[in-house]
Structures are given as structure tokens and as C-alpha cells.
Amino acid sequence: MKAVLLSIGDEILIGQITNTNSVWLASQLNRIGVHVVEMMTVGDDETAIVDALKESLSKSEIIIITGGLGPTRDDLTKDVLTHFFHTRLVFNQQVYDLLNTFFTSRGMSFNEPNKTQCYVPESCKVMMNYKGTAPGMLFHENHKIVASMPGVPYEMEAMAEGELFPYLRQHFQMPPILHRTFLTGGIPESELMIRLFDWENDLPADLKLAYLPSGGQVRLRLTSNNEDGNALERIENASRYLHLILDNEIVGYDEDSIASVVQQLCIQHGKTLVTAESCTGGFIAHQLTMIPGASKYFKGSIVAYHNTIKESLLDVPSDILLEFGAVSEQTVIQMAVSARRIMKADYAIAVSGIAGPEGGSPEKPVGTVWIAWASDEQTVARKFVWGKNRQATIQRTAQEALFRFRRFVLGMDL
Amino acid sequence: MKAVLLSIGDEILIGQITNTNSVWLASQLNRIGVHVVEMMTVGDDETAIVDALKESLSKSEIIIITGGLGPTRDDLTKDVLTHFFHTRLVFNQQVYDLLNTFFTSRGMSFNEPNKTQCYVPESCKVMMNYKGTAPGMLFHENHKIVASMPGVPYEMEAMAEGELFPYLRQHFQMPPILHRTFLTGGIPESELMIRLFDWENDLPADLKLAYLPSGGQVRLRLTSNNEDGNALERIENASRYLHLILDNEIVGYDEDSIASVVQQLCIQHGKTLVTAESCTGGFIAHQLTMIPGASKYFKGSIVAYHNTIKESLLDVPSDILLEFGAVSEQTVIQMAVSARRIMKADYAIAVSGIAGPEGGSPEKPVGTVWIAWASDEQTVARKFVWGKNRQATIQRTAQEALFRFRRFVLGMDL
């Protein structure tokens, strides 16, 4: 089964918001065996929507539309679909009741703009919205499905899981596409390619390899459409050889992130972790605490953005700050050692750097970062010099701090 | 000038990565007067790429391709474009020299896969990549431009700014599209629509209004193609009336986020801010410190994820934790008061909640969050109950903490 994902909204085309719905839908559909062949985004414009719909119908069996369903006048999707499928809007009591409950339970008024939401195309199956106000629509005609859902991510996700995916599973038999992904950190893409040259050449014909670099990490992804039903075995086999080549450089699999890998590692070893962050401003702690279960090993963080906090909460002596500066080996080691002691943890990661755009100097340009890792046995620090982009420096520093924390724990070279 | 953005990569279609290149390109192009009419994503597949290219050329004058330019075998863009434009690959000395410097300065080997990068299509203008290894290509034929850039965001951004945008500005006269965006927080979209009904009806014909909700905030965007050159005045006029209606509910403009608004407010008032975070795990501090200049007012944060840290670093008495729990008015008030005192700041924001999926109870279900705001004059706390989605709870809590912090500082109702 092929699908096209069609997002509607001027706000995406002018770059005001990132389209996160497509990535979520794609990963979920992939899991149930639907192959997304294209993603499109068009504006809040009737002609553009109709053209995109026609193009999509020529390429796939399933078209999933998100966005353009609000009560306001810039939202056109419902009217466009009503015309497109030659049907008309009719009052739907179930939607009315749901909306009535939605508003009264929140102490909000069920006002006129929202009442227009109770009118839905006569020929569609209505998909209930339990998280918001705009109902979804599913048209199933001529063996093709056109589904329309709200653009608000958590409303869309709940509707897809509660209504759309069960419908698709019920109406189509879909063999799932197989993927296996290997997470690596610290080896450039081109070097990986050389190390994997022979292995890649010897892969069975149905296995497709992709290199997915992002900052300092590269994901390697093996994919098979599994037409003969035996691809899992071929993937397992290829995976065994890959482990012989890359060994300890394979950090995790599939949905693993370096944050989830750090969590598994700490929980496995029964160890706790804290951070002391300056230039990353809490981003490392945030990355770690986004993973459910983080409280099992992560105790907390001292975000010492100002030097006064480095002194008062992390006991960095003022003469170290004066002599070596906040961005120095001495400071970052003191931060790590103190964080570990003060928050009573087994491990600490500390970071101090110049994210920019201000604060650089000839000896310490913007992008200079020191990272330290501390355990009860040792404390090690390393210096990095990233570029001038503030956001990239923050993200790359967090990534490096976590990838090397794993190496630190496993006793590998830093 | 119309543009189509074409992203290439299986990793996007299977939902492994979010396409952030399109949003960045769209916002930049918009600024220089290029109207993005469509975004497309196709896989690493020659037929799909060629079809998408043909479709895009029928809809726009500019096609900007990102992705598929790496040295590995899954990257097809260069070969596809070479065929598409009936040209051939030739060695480029300038690219060779740049790559040679790139690798030797990093102490890396200039290996064979990377040497293939020195071959570029004969008929294109080469766009240099100063941040990575894959050169970009710009074809300008029959009054249409097809530009191809790497998929790695910071490489692509540097290339666009250094090579592509100057080329576009040099070759086309483009009147910029006008936008004005108003940031609001805490008023639902449908209520805004009622309050703005008459104002929206009275807007001049060329002004288009869009409602852009995201979590608890709604951006209102006015757009004009400015065909007569006088739209700025019409936008200013509409903006004046909008201020009469919404008054203090307009929090910021255009690229403002609630984090940048908080920064402006604190710097204006000459005040400092700290946070004490439990369930948000450093996310509020991260949001604040992503904005350049945060060090002018933001001193730091204590991420007290474990209760032991709430006791030891934030002086929350253990009997309060025992009697009322970590997620309670008493705890969060104590966290805010202590954070303010310990980090010597004018203001503190404190948060404690249950992000889930574990830790909920009948009285305090997953999604329950307490937020407190403290100044030298008062400390106020409010309770919120969000849904079951961990990520949404963390993000929504941070948003609410910051939007209401502004109200707290300005003496408005919380």
C-alpha cells in the first residue's frame, strides 16, 4: 500500500512552523506496512489543494491530509473535500454531543464558530476528535482512501491512533516493511563508508543501506520490502557481520537516541547521573528527561549560567575563574567534581563553553567548549571547537557529552 | 517569483528525521520575496526524483533541492541531475583544493569516496561547501533555476546564504512579501475569532489573516503581496485596531517567541531570573538560553528531578514532601522562594509535575503540574492538568510558565 502525506497551511510554506505531523505519520505508517512515497505541502488555497489531491490520487491508494480544519476562515479543507467528493455538509449529532461535553467540561462557551464544526460531509466516515474541536473525515471510494485530520499534532496523533490506523488495518492486509537501524557516533560518514565497503557490496539484493548523518552521529539503516517473507533472517545475518566490523562503535538500534542509550546504560549498571551545565543551559538535562523513566537514574542538574552560580552552587573557586576563565579545563573539572559530590551521584557531566554570538576572543573563539566526565575513580576533560552557530553548538555539545559519556562508562578511549 | 522546495531522502519518508531544511529555506526565501508554493519530499529513487523535478518545473521558476548529495551509494541527486540536464561530470580543481584543505586541516584522510565529490556536472555553476564535503550545483536554463544543496542543515544554510541567495537577488527583482505576526497566549482560537470578527471583516482585500495555534499560544498573521506598494500602511492601520481590541494580550511580534519576550521584559526592567525545575527537567532554562543574550538576565537553574535534590539544594522540608507530595502548591512555592534566594535573582519560576507515563494517582493523574512565580513582593502558584503525553506536558508547562511569568511581571491576572 502506498500513501501520500498532504499537509495544508500557508504557515508551513512561509517557514513559520515545522511540519512535524509528516514525520510522525510516516514513522507510524511504516510500522503498519504502509509505504509513504511522497510528502507534499501546499497553501490554504482551493486550486492548490485540489491539484495536490488529484496528483496524490494518481500515485497512491491512501492520501492523508493534515491541517486546514479549524473554525476560522483561512481553513478550507472541509469545504474543498465536500466539493471534491460531490457531497454536502450535514449536521452530526455525535460530533455535537462530543463538542458540547468538550466545552462545558472546560467551562468554555460552545460558541457559533465552534458549532460549524458539527457539520460534516454526508458521504464520509467521521473520525472523532477527543482532544480538540475539529472532527476528521475519511472518504473511501473507488478503492482509495482520503483521510483528513486536524493540523494540531496531539489532536492528529490521537485521531490517527484511535480511528485512522484501525480502519486501515481492518481494510487492508499489509506486510510490514522491515528496517534495522544502527546508531554510531564519532565516525565520519565517509570513513564509515570505507570500513563498510566490502560488507555493503556483499549485502543481499533486497537489503538497501542508507547513511543518515546528523551532527556527530551517523545512523546506518538496512531496509527490505520483505517480499519473500525471509528478510528478517538476512537482516540478522548482515547485522552479525556489521558487529564484527564496527564492534563497540555501534551504540544503539532503531529508535534509540544517545539519551536513551545513556539511560539504559546507567540503569543496567545501577548508577546515577547528574549534570552541571553552563553554555548548554539545561539542554543535556532536557534531552535526558524527555525519555520516560529518566527518574530511575537522573537526579538533577545545576545550570550555572552565571559565574556567580558556578562559585556559589558548584564551588568553583573565584581564583580559578579569574586565572583560567569560565571556559577552561580547570573550571569544567571542578564543576563535574562538585556536581557529583553535591548531588550525590555516581557520575557527573559538566559543560562550559561560548555558544555565542558574543563572548568570543582570539584565544577562545565562539564555539569553544570544554566537557568533563566524572566518576568515583577519575575525572576527564576534553576541549572542542565548534562553529559560530549558537543552536548548533548547544546541540553538538550535548551530543558529544553523551556519546563520550558512554565511552567513559565503558572504559573506552575518549 | 515562485519556488518549489524538493527534499530527497528515504529517511524523511519513513519518518526517521524531521525535514527542518524546508522550514528554514521557506522563511529565508519569503524574506527576499520568493513565494514558496509547494514543498515536496521524495525518496532516493531516480524515477521519483525526475518526476518531482518535472512537476516542480511546471509550477515554479525556482526549484531548490536538498539532500542526496553524500559520497555514499544511496545518494543519487548528482547523477540524476547530470542526466536530467544532458551534461557530464567533470573534475573541478577548486572543489578539490577546498576538500583537500578541509580534510588535512582536520587531520583526516582525503579518501577515495570523498574524491568523487570533486566531479561536478559540466553545465552547472558550482556552489562551494565551506562547512562540509559535498559541493552544491546551480543550473540556470530557460529562465528557470534548479539548485541542489546538501541535506545537512548547517552545510545547506551556509551554502544558501553564501551562494544561492546572492545569485537569486542578483538575477531577479523581487518585491518582498509583507507579513506581520502577533503572538498571543492563553486565548483559544475560537474565542479570538469571535473577538476579531468585525475587525477581520473590515480588513482591506489584500490583507489575508491566518490563525496559527500551537499549544496554548496563537499567532495571528497578516499577509499582503503588496502589489501596489502601499500595503505596509494598511498593515500598520489594521495593527492599530487590533491593539485596541486585544490590548495587553498581544505578547510579541513576528519572530518573537515567549522566551524572547521574557528576555526583552527582564532586560528592560533590569531584573534577573532563575528557574527551579522538576518535571520540565531543564526545558524552561533551555528555551530561555537558546536566545542569544540570555546571559544578560538569566542566572541559572536548579533541575531538582529527584526529591533528594529538592531537599538538599532547594530547602524543601522533608515533611512538606511527605505531607503534600512533590507535586503540590506547598512544594512548588518553596522551590520558587528558595531558588530566588539561593541564586540571588529578582524573579524565580518553579515547576513540579507528573509528566508520565508513570507516577500518576487518582488524586494526581499524569499531567498534573504546579507552577509558581516568585518576586520580592509575592509568590503565586497555579495548578494545571494536561494530558497523558509526556512531551506535550513538558512543552505546554514551559509555555504556560513563561506566558504567565510575563503577566506576573506586568501585574496582570494570572
Side-chain angles (χ1 to χ4, degrees):
Chain A
M1 299 300 297
K2 292 180 188 166
V4 170
L5 306 184
L6 174 55
S7 309
I8 297 175
D10 287 342
E11 66 276 21
I12 305 175
L13 291 184
I14 68 164
Q16 197 149 23
I17 66 163
T18 303
N19 182 356
T20 57
N21 287 334
S22 293
V23 67
W24 186 85
L25 277 170
S27 70
Q28 299 299 316
L29 288 167
N30 204 277
R31 234 171 253 175
I32 61 173
V34 177
H35 188 61
V36 174
V37 292
E38 192 171 322
M39 295 174 179
M40 297 173 81
T41 303
V42 298
D44 297 303
D45 173 275
E46 174 151 11
T47 316
I49 298 172
V50 170
D51 286 352
L53 206 48
K54 285 181 188 160
E55 266 177 39
S56 307
L57 281 166
S58 75
K59 286 175 190 162
S60 66
E61 293 85 33
I62 301 170
I63 291 93
I64 301 177
I65 304 171
T66 50
L69 283 188
T72 51
R73 277 174 272 189
D74 54 313
D75 290 319
L76 304 172
T77 310
K78 187 159 72 177
D79 288 337
V80 170
L81 287 176
T82 305
H83 288 132
F84 190 85
F85 286 103
H86 309 292
T87 181
R88 61 187 183 122
L89 293 175
V90 292
F91 178 81
N92 185 299
Q93 186 65 43
Q94 204 190 343
V95 175
Y96 182 92
D97 294 342
L98 189 65
L99 281 177
N100 205 9
T101 312
F102 182 93
F103 287 106
T104 52
S105 73
R106 283 166 173 77
M108 291 157 69
S109 80
F110 187 13
N111 54 32
E112 284 310 315
N114 280 318
K115 279 185 184 154
T116 64
Q117 309 261 30
C118 307
Y119 289 82
V120 295
E122 192 168 23
S123 70
C124 80
K125 169 187 150 59
V126 177
M127 297 191 287
M128 289 297 147
N129 186 345
Y130 295 100
K131 303 279 176 177
T133 60
M137 299 165 272
L138 189 151
F139 299 86
H140 192 165
E141 295 183 8
N142 303 318
H143 311 290
K144 303 241 174 183
I145 284 178
V146 175
S148 161
M149 298 190 289
V152 178
Y154 68 90
E155 295 181 23
M156 184 280 290
E157 291 172 17
M159 188 180 289
E161 283 172 345
E163 304 259 8
L164 177 62
F165 298 157
Y167 189 91
L168 295 178
R169 270 194 293 256
Q170 195 187 323
H171 287 78
F172 303 102
Q173 284 242 327
M174 301 172 288
I177 301 156
L178 292 181
H179 298 286
R180 190 87 214 256
T181 304
F182 307 86
L183 176 64
T184 70
I187 312 172
E189 186 182 8
S190 67
E191 194 190 316
L192 271 177
M193 194 192 160
I194 294 175
R195 289 175 67 175
L196 301 182
F197 193 84
D198 291 336
W199 173 79
E200 194 177 342
N201 267 340
D202 293 344
L203 284 176
D206 68 314
L207 294 194
K208 211 175 155 186
L209 177 70
Y211 292 76
L212 312 170
S214 148
Q217 71 177 36
V218 179
R219 286 179 196 275
L220 299 166
R221 194 193 60 232
L222 281 175
T223 305
S224 168
N225 286 327
N226 193 20
E227 276 165 17
D228 67 354
N230 294 322
L232 189 60
E233 201 178 305
R234 289 191 292 278
I235 286 180
E236 292 297 338
N237 196 36
S239 163
R240 261 192 301 278
Y241 282 99
L242 185 65
H243 277 90
L244 291 178
I245 303 166
L246 293 181
D247 193 28
N248 244 333
E249 303 291 348
I250 296 175
V251 167
Y253 306 91
D254 301 329
E255 308 304 313
D256 283 342
S257 61
I258 185 59
S260 72
V261 168
V262 163
Q263 172 164 326
Q264 290 157 34
L265 192 67
C266 286
I267 292 176
Q268 242 168 44
H269 291 218
K271 303 286 189 185
T272 56
L273 173 64
V274 295
T275 68
E277 307 187 38
S278 184
C279 69
T280 45
F283 186 59
I284 301 176
H286 166 58
Q287 296 276 83
L288 296 175
T289 55
M290 282 292 272
I291 315 284
S295 59
K296 291 194 183 78
Y297 80 100
F298 183 72
K299 296 187 78 174
S301 175
I302 293 172
V303 179
Y305 214 59
H306 245 236
N307 282 351
T308 54
I309 312 279
K310 293 186 186 78
E311 288 183 50
S312 65
L313 288 186
L314 288 169
D315 297 340
V316 181
S318 56
D319 53 346
I320 282 194
L321 288 171
L322 270 173
E323 192 176 342
F324 304 101
V327 180
S328 66
E329 180 167 16
Q330 291 80 356
T331 296
V332 84
I333 282 187
Q334 188 62 50
M335 287 170 69
V337 169
S338 298
R340 208 186 141 263
R341 175 177 49 79
I342 292 166
M343 292 188 270
K344 298 191 173 55
D346 298 303
Y347 294 114
I349 300 173
V351 163
S352 186
I354 304 153
E358 288 168 27
S361 67
E363 314 86 67
K364 293 180 188 173
V366 167
T368 305
V369 174
W370 276 93
I371 308 178
W373 301 265
S375 70
D376 58 346
E377 287 171 1
Q378 59 171 339
T379 303
V380 185
R382 290 279 178 276
K383 182 185 169 183
F384 303 85
V385 183
W386 312 121
K388 307 228 168 298
N389 181 308
R390 180 180 181 87
Q391 200 170 333
T393 292
I394 293 171
Q395 287 169 348
R396 190 69 199 272
T397 301
Q399 205 179 40
E400 213 65 38
L402 296 177
F403 268 106
R404 289 180 198 246
F405 172 70
R406 168 184 170 270
R407 302 180 76 93
F408 181 76
V409 171
L410 297 178
M412 296 167 71
D413 286 349
L414 278 186
Chain B
M1 298 300 295
K2 290 180 190 168
V4 169
L5 306 183
L6 174 55
S7 309
I8 296 176
D10 287 342
E11 66 276 22
I12 306 175
L13 291 185
I14 68 164
Q16 196 147 26
I17 65 162
T18 302
N19 181 356
T20 57
N21 286 335
S22 293
V23 68
W24 185 84
L25 278 170
S27 69
Q28 300 299 315
L29 289 167
N30 203 277
R31 235 171 251 175
I32 61 173
V34 176
H35 187 61
V36 175
V37 292
E38 192 171 323
M39 295 173 177
M40 296 173 81
T41 303
V42 298
D44 297 303
D45 174 275
E46 174 152 11
T47 316
I49 298 172
V50 170
D51 286 351
L53 206 48
K54 285 182 187 160
E55 265 176 39
S56 307
L57 282 166
S58 74
K59 287 176 190 163
S60 65
E61 292 86 33
I62 302 170
I63 291 93
I64 301 178
I65 304 171
T66 50
L69 284 187
T72 51
R73 277 174 270 190
D74 54 313
D75 290 319
L76 304 171
T77 310
K78 187 160 73 178
D79 288 336
V80 170
L81 288 175
T82 306
H83 287 133
F84 190 85
F85 286 103
H86 308 291
T87 182
R88 59 184 186 126
L89 292 175
V90 293
F91 177 81
N92 185 298
Q93 187 66 43
Q94 203 190 341
V95 174
Y96 182 91
D97 294 342
L98 189 65
L99 281 177
N100 205 11
T101 312
F102 182 92
F103 287 106
T104 51
S105 73
R106 284 167 174 75
M108 291 156 69
S109 80
F110 188 14
N111 55 32
E112 284 310 314
N114 280 317
K115 279 183 183 155
T116 65
Q117 309 261 30
C118 306
Y119 290 82
V120 294
E122 192 168 24
S123 70
C124 80
K125 167 186 152 58
V126 177
M127 296 192 286
M128 291 296 150
N129 186 346
Y130 295 99
K131 303 279 176 177
T133 60
M137 300 165 271
L138 189 152
F139 299 87
H140 193 166
E141 296 184 8
N142 304 317
H143 311 290
K144 303 243 175 181
I145 284 178
V146 175
S148 162
M149 298 191 289
V152 180
Y154 68 91
E155 295 180 25
M156 183 280 290
E157 291 171 17
M159 187 179 290
E161 283 171 346
E163 304 260 9
L164 177 62
F165 298 158
Y167 189 92
L168 294 179
R169 270 193 292 256
Q170 194 187 324
H171 286 77
F172 304 101
Q173 286 240 327
M174 301 171 289
I177 300 157
L178 292 181
H179 296 287
R180 190 87 215 255
T181 304
F182 307 86
L183 176 64
T184 70
I187 312 174
E189 187 184 7
S190 66
E191 195 191 314
L192 271 177
M193 193 193 163
I194 294 175
R195 287 174 67 176
L196 301 181
F197 193 83
D198 291 338
W199 174 78
E200 193 177 342
N201 266 340
D202 293 345
L203 284 176
D206 69 314
L207 294 194
K208 211 175 154 185
L209 176 71
Y211 292 77
L212 312 170
S214 149
Q217 72 177 35
V218 178
R219 286 180 196 274
L220 299 166
R221 194 192 60 234
L222 281 174
T223 305
S224 168
N225 285 327
N226 193 21
E227 277 166 15
D228 67 355
N230 294 321
L232 190 59
E233 201 179 305
R234 288 191 294 277
I235 287 181
E236 293 296 339
N237 196 36
S239 164
R240 261 192 300 279
Y241 281 99
L242 184 64
H243 276 90
L244 291 178
I245 303 165
L246 292 181
D247 191 30
N248 244 331
E249 303 291 347
I250 295 176
V251 166
Y253 305 92
D254 300 331
E255 309 304 313
D256 283 342
S257 62
I258 184 59
S260 71
V261 168
V262 162
Q263 172 164 327
Q264 291 159 34
L265 192 68
C266 286
I267 292 175
Q268 243 169 43
H269 291 220
K271 303 286 189 186
T272 55
L273 172 64
V274 295
T275 67
E277 308 187 36
S278 183
C279 68
T280 45
F283 186 60
I284 301 176
H286 166 59
Q287 295 277 84
L288 297 175
T289 55
M290 283 292 273
I291 315 285
S295 59
K296 291 194 184 79
Y297 79 100
F298 183 72
K299 296 187 77 173
S301 175
I302 294 172
V303 179
Y305 213 60
H306 246 236
N307 282 350
T308 54
I309 313 279
K310 293 185 186 78
E311 287 182 51
S312 65
L313 287 186
L314 288 168
D315 296 340
V316 181
S318 57
D319 51 348
I320 281 194
L321 289 171
L322 271 173
E323 192 177 343
F324 303 102
V327 180
S328 65
E329 180 167 16
Q330 290 80 357
T331 296
V332 84
I333 282 187
Q334 187 63 48
M335 287 170 68
V337 169
S338 298
R340 207 184 143 266
R341 175 178 51 79
I342 292 166
M343 292 187 270
K344 297 191 174 54
D346 298 303
Y347 294 115
I349 300 172
V351 163
S352 186
I354 304 152
E358 287 168 26
S361 66
E363 314 85 67
K364 292 179 186 171
V366 166
T368 304
V369 174
W370 276 94
I371 308 179
W373 300 266
S375 71
D376 58 347
E377 287 171 0
Q378 58 170 339
T379 304
V380 184
R382 290 279 178 273
K383 182 184 166 184
F384 302 86
V385 183
W386 314 120
K388 306 229 169 300
N389 182 308
R390 182 180 179 87
Q391 199 170 333
T393 291
I394 292 171
Q395 287 170 347
R396 190 69 199 272
T397 301
Q399 204 180 40
E400 212 65 38
L402 296 177
F403 268 106
R404 289 180 197 245
F405 172 70
R406 169 184 169 271
R407 302 181 76 93
F408 180 77
V409 171
L410 297 178
M412 295 167 71
D413 285 348
L414 279 185

